[in-house]
Amino acid sequence: MCLSRVSPCSSLKIRGPPQLTGGVCIAQSLKIPREPKPGEYDKIIKRLLETPHARAIIIFANEDDIRRILEAAKRSNQTGHFLWIGSDSWGSKISPVYQQEEIAEGAVTILPKRASIDGFDRYFRSRSLANNRRNVWFAEFWEENFNCKLGSHGKKNSHLKKCTGLERIGRDSTYEQEGKVQFVIDAVYSMAHALHSMHREFCSGYIGLCQRMKPVDGKDLLSYIRAVNFNERVDDMQWTSREHTQPASVCSLPCKPGERKKTVKGVPCCWNCERCEGYHYQSDELSCELCPLDQKPNTNRTGCTLIPIIKLEWHSPWAVGPVFIAILGIVATTFVIVTFVRYNDTPIVRASGRELSYVLLTGIFLCYAITFLMIGTPDMVVCSLRRIFLGLGMCFSYAALLTKTNRIHRIFEQGKKSVTAPKCISPASQLVITFSLISVQLLGVFIWFIVDPPHIIVDYGEQRTPDPVNARGVLKCDISELSLICSLGYSILLMVTCTIYAIKTRGVPETFNEAKPIGFTMYTTCIIWLAFIPIFFGTAQSAERMYIQTTTLTVSMSLSASVSLGMLYMPKVYIIIFHPEQNVQKRKRSFKAVVTAATMQSKLIQKGNDRPNGEVKTELCESLETNTSSTKTTYVSYSNHAT
């Protein structure tokens, strides 16, 4: 039970913080001024409402102050809110509640019990000198009560008559029961019940005092005395609206599960309930503690539960798209490879550089296949394969393309100086160069394996959302963003270098080589990876990071592979299958003719804007024909249809 206390004094003040005494909490202690100013009683009611759940008010005041307090409560529309406990100055008086009985309904007032005990009257009136010898003071009382003397033991005044012993209390004298008899009887009964309870506990089954009660310890007896009560049952009392249920009066309601008590120093019975927020749980009544990293608070925040572990599932929308693209790409790549193998000795296949084409197609296939490793359930094998093949497919593709573009560039640069072909343009040399470039990637992966062996982790920070309900642990391979950059960085370097060579060879006539398709392929690929970088690294703080980054990476690799496949090989496959009549050997041109054509076209591009109506084009074409006809009959095995 939490109470508020109002008492009279010379000034209004709060007497310190709430107290806890005998199981009863004093939420507020206010004083009524001796000469209250206007509105003073309303202020008291306002102060009492600061602890709205402490409804029981013990009031020690005179009748006039009590009446004004009740009037102030009525003005504040608090009828039925407060439970008044009045002192004996209120008692059973009518004046404090006259014409405002509804505000005082259910009040409990206190009066000393002064009822006359009939049994005591019968007993005491039957006492005489003959039957009450045990009381050593009774003879003195007898003489005083009947104004007589008892022989030599009586009073020495000679004028008093001698007591006969036949006098009767209440008949021969005035008798009225002392008003405090009830208190004496209650005290005796309290002592008797206390001793009985103490004897029953200390000396169970023993007649008389046992050794433990010889002598009786006063402190022990006091605790038993305090445990005695003669109260009526609470169920027999009627409260507001004739209810028998004891009304609640507490300074603060109990906190709900997951809430801690936020107390103020020196205030033991009043508190504010503060919910444990974030990843904290209620460890005890007064404190919240942080759950371990792999756990989150349960539903009512009274403990912690394990955070669910997730991974990218095959049926997830984030995986279905990349897988579908990869499957289409693998089917298309396989079809191209089968077609090239089937028509391996035809002019178009030979002219495209069969050896490097197969290397490039292998890289394209690996770019599609990495999608399945990136979505698969992480384990030691999958994590190892991810490290190996993450950048290997791109490395295969761009190493082969770089070798091709470098070969074209060197051929035409050399042709400007002499008719001698440059070194290392044979198929075997091209393969050696390509695999030398690929070996750098493999060496880097091998060092990565030694420095940091692959393993799986559960990342609880990636999806540690503000709301713990949505928190998830992500099962993943331990590949950091830095490691990813290093793994893809070399392939991107090859891609950029290949793009530079594609730009340098953009002026070569398209009838002589694949420079222009390679150029368009590299320009498109660069755009794809430029879009990949901000999307991939810009979502590092997103709760959907795992899904977005995996999807972005796999789709980017599949798109770059699709660009290479579509621009470099689909036109050739189309001719091989649907127009076989075009898959024939064309006449060879001399190395000098090839170089001259490239030079003339370059000049045409430079001067095309200088002279109108195609005059430059006509002039340059005539020059080209003259130079071509005067070329020596020495041929090299380079053309757009022969390796």
Side-chain angles (χ1 to χ4, degrees), residues 236-253:
D236 294 335
M237 297 185 66
Q238 291 187 0
W239 304 90
T240 306
S241 302
R242 301 295 187 268
E243 295 178 355
H244 290 276
T245 305
Q246 179 179 347
S249 176
V250 293
C251 183
S252 299
L253 294 175

Side-chain angles (χ1 to χ4, degrees), residues 277-280 289-297 304 307 459-474 541-544:
E277 297 293 343
Y279 288 80
H280 292 79
E289 291 187 3
L290 184 65
C291 288
L293 182 63
D294 60 343
Q295 298 180 26
K296 64 179 181 179
C304 296
I307 295 177
D459 188 348
Y460 291 99
E462 182 172 317
Q463 292 201 22
R464 195 173 178 84
T465 55
D467 185 359
V469 174
N470 300 321
R472 298 292 184 269
V474 180
Q541 304 302 321
S542 172
E544 305 291 333

Side-chain angles (χ1 to χ4, degrees), residues 461-509:
E462 182 172 317
Q463 292 201 22
R464 195 173 178 84
T465 55
D467 185 359
V469 174
N470 300 321
R472 298 292 184 269
V474 180
L475 181 65
K476 59 195 298 188
C477 296
D478 188 23
I479 300 178
S480 64
E481 291 184 354
L482 178 61
S483 301
L484 180 66
I485 292 173
C486 294
S487 180
L488 296 177
Y490 179 66
S491 299
I492 293 177
L493 177 63
L494 294 178
M495 178 185 71
V496 173
T497 307
C498 183
T499 304
I500 294 173
Y501 275 109
I503 294 173
K504 288 184 176 182
T505 57
R506 68 186 184 279
V508 176

Side-chain angles (χ1 to χ4, degrees), residues 356-592:
L356 289 183
S357 291
Y358 290 131
V359 174
L360 178 56
L361 288 170
T362 300
I364 293 173
F365 183 91
L366 292 178
C367 286
Y368 288 122
I370 191 63
T371 297
F372 300 94
L373 289 176
M374 297 303 295
I375 298 176
T377 302
D379 56 29
M380 290 298 293
V381 175
V382 170
C383 292
S384 300
L385 293 177
R386 282 186 188 180
R387 289 193 178 190
I388 295 172
F389 293 103
L390 182 60
L392 191 60
M394 291 177 61
C395 187
F396 264 76
S397 300
Y398 300 125
L401 286 175
L402 176 60
T403 303
K404 270 193 173 187
T405 54
N406 174 265
R407 176 174 179 262
I408 295 171
H409 176 72
R410 289 189 295 112
I411 286 174
F412 283 93
E413 288 297 315
Q414 179 69 19
K416 294 176 182 179
K417 301 174 183 178
S418 67
V419 296
T420 306
K423 299 179 180 179
C424 300
I425 62 173
S426 66
S429 300
Q430 297 297 291
L431 287 178
V432 170
I433 295 173
T434 301
F435 283 105
S436 298
L437 295 174
I438 295 173
S439 65
V440 175
Q441 173 77 13
L442 293 175
L443 178 62
V445 173
F446 178 73
I447 295 174
W448 187 9
F449 270 85
I450 295 176
V451 174
D452 182 20
H455 58 280
I456 59 175
I457 61 171
V458 178
D459 188 348
Y460 291 99
E462 182 172 317
Q463 292 201 22
R464 195 173 178 84
T465 55
D467 185 359
V469 174
N470 300 321
R472 298 292 184 269
V474 180
L475 181 65
K476 59 195 298 188
C477 296
D478 188 23
I479 300 178
S480 64
E481 291 184 354
L482 178 61
S483 301
L484 180 66
I485 292 173
C486 294
S487 180
L488 296 177
Y490 179 66
S491 299
I492 293 177
L493 177 63
L494 294 178
M495 178 185 71
V496 173
T497 307
C498 183
T499 304
I500 294 173
Y501 275 109
I503 294 173
K504 288 184 176 182
T505 57
R506 68 186 184 279
V508 176
E510 60 182 4
T511 56
F512 290 97
N513 54 72
E514 297 178 296
K516 283 185 173 57
I518 292 176
F520 287 126
T521 298
M522 298 315 301
Y523 306 152
T524 307
T525 303
C526 287
I527 293 173
I528 292 173
W529 286 97
L530 284 175
F532 160 81
I533 293 174
I535 296 175
F536 186 89
F537 295 101
T539 57
Q541 304 302 321
S542 172
E544 305 291 333
R545 170 185 173 186
M546 173 184 68
Y547 306 108
I548 296 175
Q549 290 188 341
T550 302
T551 301
T552 303
L553 177 61
T554 53
V555 169
S556 296
M557 297 189 74
S558 294
L559 288 179
S560 60
S562 299
V563 169
S564 300
L565 187 68
M567 290 190 175
L568 297 179
Y569 292 102
M570 284 305 176
K572 294 180 175 61
V573 172
Y574 176 78
I575 292 175
I576 291 172
I577 296 177
F578 296 104
H579 295 283
E581 70 278 3
Q582 298 181 18
N583 191 8
V584 295
Q585 180 72 37
K586 299 292 180 69
R587 67 185 182 87
K588 295 183 178 181
R589 296 191 182 189
S590 68
F591 183 73
K592 181 70 174 178

Side-chain angles (χ1 to χ4, degrees), residues 11 43 171 188 456 505:
S11 62
K43 290 182 180 179
R171 184 191 67 183
V188 172
I456 59 175
T505 57

